[in-house]
Structure formats: structure tokens, C-alpha cells
């Protein structure tokens, strides 16, 4: 905060947008520490970590509230989520190529067969293993358990989904079905 105060109050600005919606992990820094990504509503803001300037506003096609972000190498995982709702949320788990030298740079692909679409609240949080081979995603069942896995009073807390990233096809979004943690 002190460093950003020295640079000035309107340096990043997020294009004047106010970040709304429930956020659990809306900020992530790339493994090489060169860029920071911030989730908004249907957009991801890309910030240069050297100058602290906004590089780009990346629009997610048919995007909803982005509740959680995670990176691994040249991949940015984007989890859409909400803090209330019932029935199918139609939220998604997405992946974006963030390698500036790639021909598919900033291309967004929906990861298929995750079950996130049918969950009432979508994604509440996620993490990638240190070796980049496993993605763990929390998909809560109700608003009582949205920000925690050990909330009391809820008969169904939701699921913890474990994905094998070595089976992810970045062109099609196909991935092996997740394992649901017991």
C-alpha cells in the first residue's frame, strides 16, 4: 500500500470500474512475478508488477463474477462464483494462456465436465499444486458455507474437486473428470 501511495492514487484505476461481487481469491501474481491479475465482473485486469500500471482489461466471453484466480506456469485459472443462489448457477471454471510469446496468448477456454455449472454457487476458491499437475477447487453448496469448508449448521457443505492438469487439453477444454474429496 505504501508503494502504491507513492506512485499515485489513480495509477491502476481498473478503467473506472468498481469491483463488485463476492471475491475469495481475486488477486494472483504470476510465478515469474512479472504480472498481477485481478478478477472483476466478467473481466480480468492485468497489471505490470514493475510499473504497477494496468496492461490490459481482458474480457471473458459471457463472463460472470470472478471469485477466484490461480496461476501455474503459463496458465491462469479463472473461477466464476457467487455468494447466493439456488439450482444451477451456470458458473464456469476457465483457463487462459498467459504466455506473451504464445499464439494463443490471452485466449480463454472453458474447462469442460467440471460440474461447476450445476453447482448453486460456482467456485469459492482454488489452488494449484507446486508442481503444476493438480488443481483443487472448492464448490460450496450454500451461502452459509461459501467461505469455509468447516462451517457448521449446513447439512451439505459442497464439494472439493481435484483435477489432474496433465489431462487438460488447452485447445478444447477437455479434462479427466475430477475426483471429489471425501
Amino acid at each position: 500500500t505504501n508503494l502504491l501511495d507513492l506512485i499515485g492514487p489513480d495509477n491502476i484505476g481498473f478503467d473506472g470500474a468498481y469491483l463488485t461481487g463476492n471475491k475469495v481469491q481475486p488477486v494472483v501474481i504470476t510465478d515469474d512475478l512479472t504480472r498481477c491479475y485481478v478478477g472483476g465482473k466478467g473481466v480480468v485486469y492485468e497489471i505490470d508488477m514493475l510499473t504497477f500500471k494496468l496492461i490490459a482489461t481482458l474480457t471473458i466471453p459471457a463472463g460472470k463474477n470472478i471469485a477466484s484466480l490461480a496461476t501455474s506456469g503459463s496458465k491462469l485459472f479463472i473461477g466464476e462464483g457467487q455468494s447466493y443462489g439456488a439450482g444451477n448457477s451456470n458458473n464456469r471454471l476457465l483457463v487462459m494462456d498467459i504466455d506473451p510469446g504464445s499464439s494463443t496468448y490471452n485466449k480463454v477456454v472453458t474447462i469442460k465436465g467440471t460440474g461447476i455449472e450445476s453447482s448453486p454457487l460456482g467456485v469459492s476458491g482454488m489452488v494449484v499444486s507446486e508442481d503444476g499437475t493438480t488443481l483443487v477447487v472448492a464448490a460450496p453448496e450454500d451461502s452459509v458455507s461459501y467461505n469455509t469448508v468447516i462451517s457448521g449448521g449446513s447439512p451439505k457443505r459442497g464439494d472439493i474437486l481435484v483435477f489432474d492438469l496433465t489431462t487438460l487439453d488447452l485447445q478444447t477444454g477437455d479434462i479427466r473428470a475430477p475426483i471429489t474429496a471425501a
Side-chain angles (χ1 to χ4, degrees), residues 59-61 78 92 94-97 104 106-110:
T59 302
I60 307 300
I78 303 165
R92 301 169 295 170
L94 308 136
V95 63
M96 178 188 288
D97 181 355
T104 57
N106 289 343
K107 179 183 177 195
V108 179
V109 176
T110 301

Side-chain angles (χ1 to χ4, degrees), residues 23-129:
K23 310 288 186 202
V24 179
Q25 296 168 284
V27 179
V28 68
I29 297 174
T30 57
D31 295 346
D32 63 4
L33 307 177
T34 59
R35 287 161 288 147
C36 173
Y37 292 91
V38 179
K41 184 172 180 168
V43 297
V44 174
Y45 300 98
E46 182 180 13
I47 300 166
D48 177 66
M49 290 299 292
L50 183 60
T51 63
F52 292 103
K53 297 213 183 273
L54 182 65
I55 296 172
T57 300
L58 309 167
T59 302
I60 307 300
K64 298 175 82 174
N65 178 58
I66 297 171
S68 184
L69 298 170
T71 61
S72 178
S74 63
K75 295 182 282 297
L76 174 67
F77 295 94
I78 303 165
E80 295 177 332
Q82 59 201 47
S83 58
Y84 60 89
N88 294 346
S89 66
N90 294 315
N91 287 305
R92 301 169 295 170
L93 180 60
L94 308 136
V95 63
M96 178 188 288
D97 181 355
I98 58 172
D99 176 6
S102 171
S103 63
T104 57
Y105 179 53
N106 289 343
K107 179 183 177 195
V108 179
V109 176
T110 301
I111 301 176
K112 297 177 183 157
T114 64
I116 300 297
E117 302 83 4
S118 61
S119 73
L121 303 177
V123 173
S124 71
M126 57 187 166
V127 66
V128 179
S129 63

Side-chain angles (χ1 to χ4, degrees), residues 167-180:
T167 67
L168 176 60
D169 183 334
L170 287 173
Q171 300 300 312
T172 64
D174 290 331
I175 193 168
R176 184 180 303 146
I179 297 168
T180 302

